[in-house]
Amino acid sequence: MDSDELREVAGGITEWARRVRELRNEEGYRILTHNDRNELKAGQYLLEDPKPIPAFERAISKETRAYVLDRNGFTCQMCGAVAGEPHPYDPARKTRLHLGHIIDKSQGGTDDPSNLRALCSVCNEGASNLTLDRPTSQKLLIQVRRARGIDQEEVLKWLLNKYPKRAKEILGEIED
Ligand SMILES: [Zn+2]
């Protein structure tokens, strides 16, 4: 929708821009603008998801959110999708991360950072069928060994980027 259409739907009132802000900031609707997506022009809006962000997630402080996302390496803890990158199961979609509970609230889980983890919108909606079990290094290695060289290189780059200090140490040990 663009601003002219919104103005028309709103019956000529000029308060719609504020209402859009309210829906986004206070009611948790993800309404994107040209600041979020290049393909949107100024004055165009995109409702990314008809479901608002759950109240618990909006109640969590920016600091806690940043802390949990950083701790999880800005990576979905179920499928491994990385924030801002195309989603592996739906490449047309940029990966957006949410906070989810590790132990569900219905099972006595709390909103404490220790019980929170990063989940992408796909996993958060339960759309992926992956299990919660983390792969062991043995299983990972089997997958990596079977992958194409070009994909192995991607893994190498990603790991070097994630663990620069450790990479230097290991390379130092190899040279010694
Ligand atoms: Zn995911």
Coordinates of all heavy atoms in Angstrom, one line a residue, residues 94-160:
K94 N 14.1 -12.6 3.6 CA 15.3 -12.3 4.4 C 15.1 -12.9 5.8 O 14.0 -12.8 6.4 CB 15.5 -10.8 4.5 CG 16.6 -10.3 3.7 CD 16.9 -8.9 4.1 CE 17.9 -8.2 3.2 NZ 18.1 -6.8 3.5
T95 N 16.1 -13.5 6.4 CA 15.9 -14.1 7.7 C 15.7 -13.0 8.8 O 16.5 -12.1 8.9 CB 17.1 -15.0 8.1 OG1 17.3 -16.0 7.1 CG2 17.0 -15.6 9.5
R96 N 14.7 -13.1 9.5 CA 14.4 -12.2 10.7 C 14.4 -13.1 11.9 O 13.8 -14.1 12.0 CB 13.0 -11.6 10.5 CG 12.9 -10.7 9.4 CD 12.0 -9.5 9.7 NE 12.5 -8.3 9.0 CZ 12.4 -7.1 9.5 NH1 11.8 -6.9 10.7 NH2 12.8 -6.1 8.8
L97 N 15.1 -12.6 12.9 CA 15.2 -13.4 14.2 C 14.2 -12.9 15.2 O 14.0 -11.7 15.4 CB 16.6 -13.4 14.7 CG 17.6 -14.1 13.8 CD1 19.0 -14.0 14.4 CD2 17.3 -15.6 13.6
H98 N 13.7 -13.8 15.9 CA 12.8 -13.6 17.1 C 13.5 -14.2 18.3 O 14.4 -14.9 18.2 CB 11.5 -14.2 16.9 CG 10.7 -13.7 15.7 ND1 9.8 -12.7 15.8 CD2 10.7 -14.1 14.5 CE1 9.3 -12.5 14.6 NE2 9.9 -13.3 13.8
L99 N 12.9 -13.8 19.4 CA 13.3 -14.5 20.6 C 12.3 -15.6 21.0 O 11.1 -15.3 20.9 CB 13.5 -13.6 21.8 CG 14.5 -12.5 21.7 CD1 14.6 -11.7 23.0 CD2 15.9 -13.1 21.3
G100 N 12.7 -16.8 21.3 CA 11.8 -17.8 21.7 C 12.3 -18.4 23.0 O 13.4 -18.2 23.4
H101 N 11.4 -19.1 23.7 CA 11.7 -19.7 25.0 C 12.4 -21.1 24.7 O 12.0 -21.8 23.8 CB 10.5 -19.9 25.8 CG 9.9 -18.6 26.3 ND1 8.8 -18.1 25.7 CD2 10.3 -17.8 27.2 CE1 8.5 -17.0 26.4 NE2 9.4 -16.7 27.2
I102 N 13.4 -21.4 25.5 CA 14.0 -22.7 25.4 C 13.1 -23.7 26.1 O 12.6 -24.7 25.5 CB 15.4 -22.7 26.1 CG1 16.3 -21.8 25.3 CG2 16.0 -24.1 26.1 CD1 17.7 -21.5 25.9
I103 N 12.7 -23.4 27.4 CA 11.7 -24.2 28.0 C 10.4 -23.3 27.9 O 10.4 -22.2 28.3 CB 12.0 -24.4 29.5 CG1 13.3 -25.3 29.6 CG2 10.9 -25.2 30.2 CD1 13.9 -25.4 31.0
D104 N 9.4 -23.9 27.3 CA 8.2 -23.2 27.1 C 7.6 -22.7 28.4 O 7.8 -23.3 29.5 CB 7.1 -24.1 26.4 CG 6.0 -23.3 25.8 OD1 6.3 -22.7 24.7 OD2 4.9 -23.2 26.4
K105 N 6.9 -21.5 28.3 CA 6.3 -20.9 29.5 C 5.3 -21.9 30.2 O 5.2 -21.9 31.4 CB 5.6 -19.6 29.2 CG 6.6 -18.5 29.1 CD 5.9 -17.1 29.3 CE 6.8 -16.2 30.1 NZ 6.2 -14.9 30.3
S106 N 4.6 -22.6 29.3 CA 3.6 -23.6 29.9 C 4.3 -24.7 30.7 O 3.7 -25.3 31.5 CB 2.8 -24.2 28.7 OG 3.6 -24.9 27.9
Q107 N 5.6 -24.9 30.5 CA 6.4 -25.9 31.2 C 7.2 -25.2 32.4 O 8.1 -25.8 32.9 CB 7.4 -26.6 30.3 CG 6.8 -27.1 29.0 CD 6.0 -28.4 29.2 OE1 6.4 -29.2 30.0 NE2 4.9 -28.5 28.4
G108 N 6.8 -24.0 32.6 CA 7.5 -23.3 33.8 C 8.7 -22.5 33.3 O 9.4 -21.9 34.2
G109 N 9.0 -22.3 32.0 CA 10.1 -21.5 31.6 C 9.8 -20.0 31.9 O 8.7 -19.6 31.9
T110 N 10.9 -19.3 32.0 CA 10.8 -17.8 32.3 C 11.3 -17.0 31.1 O 11.8 -17.5 30.1 CB 11.7 -17.5 33.5 OG1 13.1 -17.6 33.1 CG2 11.4 -18.4 34.7
D111 N 11.2 -15.7 31.3 CA 11.7 -14.7 30.3 C 13.1 -14.4 30.5 O 13.7 -13.4 29.9 CB 10.8 -13.4 30.3 CG 9.4 -13.7 29.7 OD1 9.3 -14.7 29.0 OD2 8.6 -12.8 29.9
D112 N 13.8 -15.0 31.5 CA 15.2 -14.8 31.8 C 16.0 -15.1 30.5 O 15.8 -16.0 29.8 CB 15.6 -15.7 32.9 CG 17.0 -15.2 33.5 OD1 17.0 -14.2 34.2 OD2 18.0 -15.9 33.1
P113 N 17.1 -14.2 30.3 CA 17.9 -14.5 29.1 C 18.4 -15.9 29.0 O 18.6 -16.4 27.9 CB 19.1 -13.5 29.4 CG 18.6 -12.4 30.2 CD 17.5 -13.0 31.1
S114 N 18.7 -16.6 30.1 CA 19.1 -17.9 30.1 C 18.1 -18.9 29.5 O 18.5 -20.0 29.0 CB 19.5 -18.4 31.5 OG 18.4 -18.4 32.3
N115 N 16.9 -18.5 29.5 CA 15.8 -19.3 28.9 C 15.4 -18.8 27.5 O 14.4 -19.3 27.0 CB 14.6 -19.4 29.8 CG 13.6 -20.5 29.4 OD1 14.0 -21.6 29.0 ND2 12.3 -20.2 29.4
L116 N 16.1 -17.9 26.9 CA 15.7 -17.3 25.6 C 16.8 -17.7 24.6 O 17.9 -17.9 24.9 CB 15.6 -15.8 25.7 CG 14.6 -15.2 26.6 CD1 14.7 -13.7 26.7 CD2 13.2 -15.6 26.2
R117 N 16.3 -17.8 23.3 CA 17.2 -18.1 22.2 C 16.7 -17.5 21.0 O 15.5 -17.1 20.9 CB 17.3 -19.6 22.1 CG 16.0 -20.2 21.7 CD 16.0 -21.7 21.5 NE 14.7 -22.2 21.3 CZ 14.4 -23.4 20.9 NH1 15.3 -24.2 20.7 NH2 13.1 -23.7 20.7
A118 N 17.6 -17.4 20.0 CA 17.2 -16.8 18.7 C 16.5 -17.8 17.9 O 17.0 -18.9 17.7 CB 18.5 -16.2 18.0
L119 N 15.4 -17.4 17.3 CA 14.7 -18.3 16.3 C 14.3 -17.5 15.1 O 13.9 -16.3 15.3 CB 13.4 -18.9 16.9 CG 13.5 -20.0 18.0 CD1 12.2 -20.4 18.4 CD2 14.3 -21.2 17.4
C120 N 14.4 -18.0 13.9 CA 14.0 -17.3 12.8 C 12.5 -17.3 12.7 O 11.8 -18.2 13.3 CB 14.6 -17.8 11.5 SG 14.0 -19.4 11.0
S121 N 11.9 -16.5 11.8 CA 10.4 -16.5 11.7 C 9.9 -17.8 11.2 O 8.8 -18.2 11.6 CB 9.9 -15.3 10.9 OG 10.8 -14.8 10.0
V122 N 10.6 -18.4 10.3 CA 10.2 -19.7 9.8 C 10.0 -20.8 10.9 O 9.0 -21.4 11.1 CB 11.1 -20.2 8.7 CG1 10.7 -21.6 8.2 CG2 11.1 -19.3 7.5
C123 N 11.1 -20.9 11.7 CA 11.1 -21.9 12.8 C 10.1 -21.4 13.9 O 9.5 -22.3 14.5 CB 12.5 -22.0 13.4 SG 13.6 -22.8 12.2
N124 N 10.1 -20.1 14.1 CA 9.2 -19.6 15.1 C 7.7 -19.9 14.8 O 6.9 -20.2 15.7 CB 9.3 -18.1 15.2 CG 8.9 -17.5 16.6 OD1 9.1 -18.2 17.6 ND2 8.4 -16.3 16.6
E125 N 7.4 -20.0 13.5 CA 6.0 -20.4 13.1 C 5.8 -21.9 13.1 O 4.8 -22.3 12.7 CB 5.8 -19.8 11.7 CG 5.6 -18.3 11.7 CD 5.9 -17.7 10.3 OE1 5.9 -18.4 9.3 OE2 6.1 -16.5 10.3
G126 N 6.9 -22.6 13.4 CA 6.8 -24.1 13.4 C 6.8 -24.6 12.0 O 6.4 -25.7 11.8
A127 N 7.3 -23.8 11.0 CA 7.2 -24.3 9.6 C 8.3 -25.2 9.3 O 8.3 -25.9 8.3 CB 7.3 -23.0 8.7
S128 N 9.4 -25.2 10.1 CA 10.5 -26.2 9.7 C 10.3 -27.4 10.6 O 9.8 -27.4 11.7 CB 11.8 -25.6 10.0 OG 12.2 -25.7 11.3
N129 N 10.7 -28.5 10.0 CA 10.5 -29.8 10.7 C 11.8 -30.3 11.4 O 11.9 -31.5 11.7 CB 10.1 -30.9 9.7 CG 8.6 -30.6 9.2 OD1 7.8 -30.2 10.0 ND2 8.4 -30.8 8.0
L130 N 12.7 -29.4 11.6 CA 13.9 -29.8 12.2 C 13.7 -30.1 13.7 O 12.9 -29.5 14.3 CB 15.0 -28.7 12.1 CG 15.5 -28.5 10.7 CD1 16.2 -27.2 10.6 CD2 16.4 -29.6 10.3
T131 N 14.5 -31.0 14.2 CA 14.4 -31.3 15.6 C 15.2 -30.3 16.4 O 16.0 -29.5 15.9 CB 15.0 -32.7 15.9 OG1 16.4 -32.6 15.7 CG2 14.4 -33.8 15.1
L132 N 15.0 -30.3 17.7 CA 15.7 -29.3 18.5 C 17.1 -29.8 18.9 O 17.9 -29.0 19.4 CB 14.9 -29.1 19.9 CG 13.6 -28.3 19.7 CD1 12.8 -28.4 21.0 CD2 13.9 -26.9 19.3
D133 N 17.4 -31.1 18.6 CA 18.7 -31.6 18.9 C 19.8 -30.9 18.1 O 19.7 -30.8 16.9 CB 18.7 -33.1 18.7 CG 17.7 -33.9 19.5 OD1 17.4 -33.4 20.6 OD2 17.2 -34.9 19.1
R134 N 20.8 -30.5 18.8 CA 22.0 -30.0 18.1 C 22.8 -31.1 17.5 O 22.9 -32.2 18.1 CB 22.9 -29.2 19.0 CG 22.4 -27.9 19.5 CD 23.2 -27.5 20.7 NE 22.6 -26.4 21.4 CZ 22.8 -25.1 21.1 NH1 23.7 -24.8 20.2 NH2 22.2 -24.1 21.7
P135 N 23.3 -30.9 16.2 CA 24.1 -32.0 15.7 C 25.4 -32.2 16.4 O 26.0 -31.2 16.9 CB 24.3 -31.6 14.2 CG 24.1 -30.1 14.2 CD 23.2 -29.8 15.4
T136 N 25.9 -33.4 16.6 CA 27.2 -33.6 17.2 C 28.3 -33.3 16.2 O 28.0 -33.2 15.0 CB 27.4 -35.0 17.6 OG1 27.3 -35.8 16.4 CG2 26.3 -35.5 18.6
S137 N 29.5 -33.1 16.6 CA 30.6 -32.7 15.7 C 30.8 -33.9 14.7 O 31.1 -33.7 13.6 CB 31.9 -32.5 16.5 OG 32.2 -33.6 17.3
Q138 N 30.6 -35.1 15.2 CA 30.7 -36.3 14.3 C 29.7 -36.2 13.2 O 30.1 -36.4 12.0 CB 30.5 -37.5 15.1 CG 31.1 -38.8 14.5 CD 30.7 -40.0 15.3 OE1 29.9 -39.9 16.3 NE2 31.2 -41.1 14.9
K139 N 28.4 -35.9 13.5 CA 27.4 -35.8 12.4 C 27.7 -34.7 11.5 O 27.5 -34.8 10.3 CB 26.0 -35.6 13.1 CG 25.4 -36.9 13.5 CD 24.0 -36.8 13.8 CE 23.4 -38.1 14.2 NZ 22.1 -37.9 14.9
L140 N 28.2 -33.5 12.1 CA 28.5 -32.4 11.3 C 29.6 -32.7 10.3 O 29.5 -32.4 9.1 CB 29.0 -31.2 12.2 CG 27.9 -30.2 12.6 CD1 28.6 -29.2 13.5 CD2 27.3 -29.5 11.4
L141 N 30.7 -33.4 10.8 CA 31.8 -33.7 10.0 C 31.4 -34.6 8.8 O 31.8 -34.4 7.7 CB 32.9 -34.4 10.8 CG 33.9 -33.4 11.5 CD1 34.8 -34.2 12.4 CD2 34.6 -32.6 10.4
I142 N 30.5 -35.5 9.1 CA 30.0 -36.4 8.0 C 29.4 -35.6 6.9 O 29.7 -35.7 5.7 CB 29.0 -37.5 8.6 CG1 29.8 -38.5 9.4 CG2 28.3 -38.2 7.4 CD1 28.9 -39.4 10.3
Q143 N 28.5 -34.6 7.3 CA 27.9 -33.8 6.4 C 28.9 -32.9 5.6 O 28.8 -32.8 4.4 CB 26.9 -32.8 7.1 CG 25.7 -33.5 7.7 CD 24.7 -34.0 6.6 OE1 24.6 -33.5 5.5 NE2 24.0 -35.1 6.9
V144 N 29.8 -32.4 6.3 CA 30.8 -31.5 5.7 C 31.7 -32.3 4.7 O 31.9 -31.8 3.6 CB 31.7 -30.7 6.7 CG1 32.8 -30.0 6.1 CG2 30.8 -29.8 7.5
R145 N 32.1 -33.5 5.1 CA 32.9 -34.3 4.2 C 32.2 -34.6 2.9 O 32.9 -34.8 1.9 CB 33.3 -35.6 4.9 CG 34.4 -35.4 5.9 CD 34.8 -36.7 6.5 NE 35.7 -36.5 7.7 CZ 35.5 -37.1 8.9 NH1 34.4 -37.9 9.1 NH2 36.3 -36.8 9.9
R146 N 30.9 -34.8 3.0 CA 30.1 -35.2 1.8 C 29.8 -34.0 0.9 O 29.4 -34.2 -0.2 CB 28.8 -35.9 2.2 CG 29.1 -37.3 2.8 CD 27.8 -37.8 3.4 NE 26.7 -37.8 2.5 CZ 25.4 -37.6 2.8 NH1 25.1 -37.4 4.0 NH2 24.5 -37.7 1.8
A147 N 30.0 -32.8 1.4 CA 29.6 -31.6 0.7 C 30.5 -31.3 -0.4 O 31.7 -31.8 -0.5 CB 29.5 -30.4 1.6
R148 N 30.1 -30.5 -1.4 CA 31.0 -30.1 -2.5 C 32.0 -29.2 -2.0 O 31.8 -28.5 -1.0 CB 30.1 -29.3 -3.5 CG 29.1 -30.1 -4.2 CD 28.3 -29.3 -5.2 NE 27.8 -28.1 -4.5 CZ 27.3 -27.0 -5.2 NH1 27.4 -26.9 -6.5 NH2 26.8 -26.0 -4.5
G149 N 33.2 -29.2 -2.7 CA 34.3 -28.3 -2.2 C 33.9 -26.9 -2.1 O 34.3 -26.2 -1.1
I150 N 33.1 -26.4 -3.0 CA 32.7 -25.0 -2.9 C 31.9 -24.7 -1.7 O 32.0 -23.6 -1.0 CB 31.9 -24.6 -4.2 CG1 31.7 -23.1 -4.3 CG2 30.6 -25.3 -4.3 CD1 31.2 -22.7 -5.7
D151 N 31.1 -25.7 -1.2 CA 30.3 -25.6 0.0 C 31.2 -25.7 1.2 O 30.9 -25.0 2.2 CB 29.1 -26.6 0.0 CG 28.1 -26.3 -1.1 OD1 27.9 -25.1 -1.4 OD2 27.5 -27.2 -1.6
Q152 N 32.2 -26.6 1.1 CA 33.1 -26.7 2.2 C 33.8 -25.4 2.5 O 34.1 -25.0 3.6 CB 34.1 -27.9 2.0 CG 33.5 -29.2 2.0 CD 34.5 -30.3 1.6 OE1 35.5 -30.1 1.0 NE2 34.2 -31.6 2.0
E153 N 34.2 -24.8 1.4 CA 34.9 -23.5 1.5 C 34.0 -22.4 2.2 O 34.5 -21.6 3.0 CB 35.2 -23.0 0.0 CG 36.6 -22.5 -0.1 CD 37.0 -22.2 -1.5 OE1 36.7 -21.0 -1.9 OE2 37.4 -23.1 -2.2
E154 N 32.7 -22.5 1.9 CA 31.8 -21.6 2.5 C 31.8 -21.8 4.1 O 31.8 -20.9 4.9 CB 30.3 -21.8 2.0 CG 30.0 -21.1 0.7 CD 30.1 -19.6 0.8 OE1 29.5 -19.0 1.7 OE2 30.9 -19.0 0.0
V155 N 31.8 -23.1 4.4 CA 31.8 -23.4 5.9 C 33.1 -22.9 6.5 O 33.1 -22.4 7.6 CB 31.7 -25.0 6.0 CG1 31.9 -25.4 7.5 CG2 30.4 -25.5 5.5
L156 N 34.2 -23.1 5.8 CA 35.5 -22.7 6.2 C 35.5 -21.2 6.5 O 35.9 -20.7 7.5 CB 36.6 -23.0 5.2 CG 38.1 -22.6 5.6 CD1 38.6 -23.3 6.8 CD2 39.0 -22.8 4.4
K157 N 35.0 -20.4 5.5 CA 35.0 -19.0 5.6 C 34.1 -18.6 6.8 O 34.5 -17.7 7.6 CB 34.3 -18.4 4.4 CG 35.3 -18.1 3.3 CD 34.7 -17.3 2.2 CE 35.0 -17.9 0.8 NZ 34.0 -17.5 -0.3
W158 N 33.0 -19.2 7.0 CA 32.1 -18.9 8.0 C 32.8 -19.1 9.4 O 32.7 -18.3 10.3 CB 30.8 -19.7 7.9 CG 29.8 -19.3 8.9 CD1 28.9 -18.3 8.8 CD2 29.5 -19.9 10.1 NE1 28.1 -18.2 9.9 CE2 28.4 -19.2 10.7 CE3 30.0 -21.0 10.8 CZ2 27.9 -19.6 12.0 CZ3 29.5 -21.4 12.1 CH2 28.5 -20.6 12.6
L159 N 33.4 -20.3 9.5 CA 34.1 -20.6 10.8 C 35.2 -19.7 11.1 O 35.4 -19.2 12.2 CB 34.6 -22.1 10.7 CG 33.5 -23.1 10.9 CD1 34.1 -24.5 10.6 CD2 32.8 -23.1 12.2
L160 N 36.0 -19.3 10.1 CA 37.2 -18.4 10.3 C 36.7 -17.1 10.7 O 37.2 -16.4 11.6 CB 38.0 -18.2 9.0 CG 38.8 -19.5 8.5 CD1 39.4 -19.2 7.2 CD2 39.9 -19.8 9.5

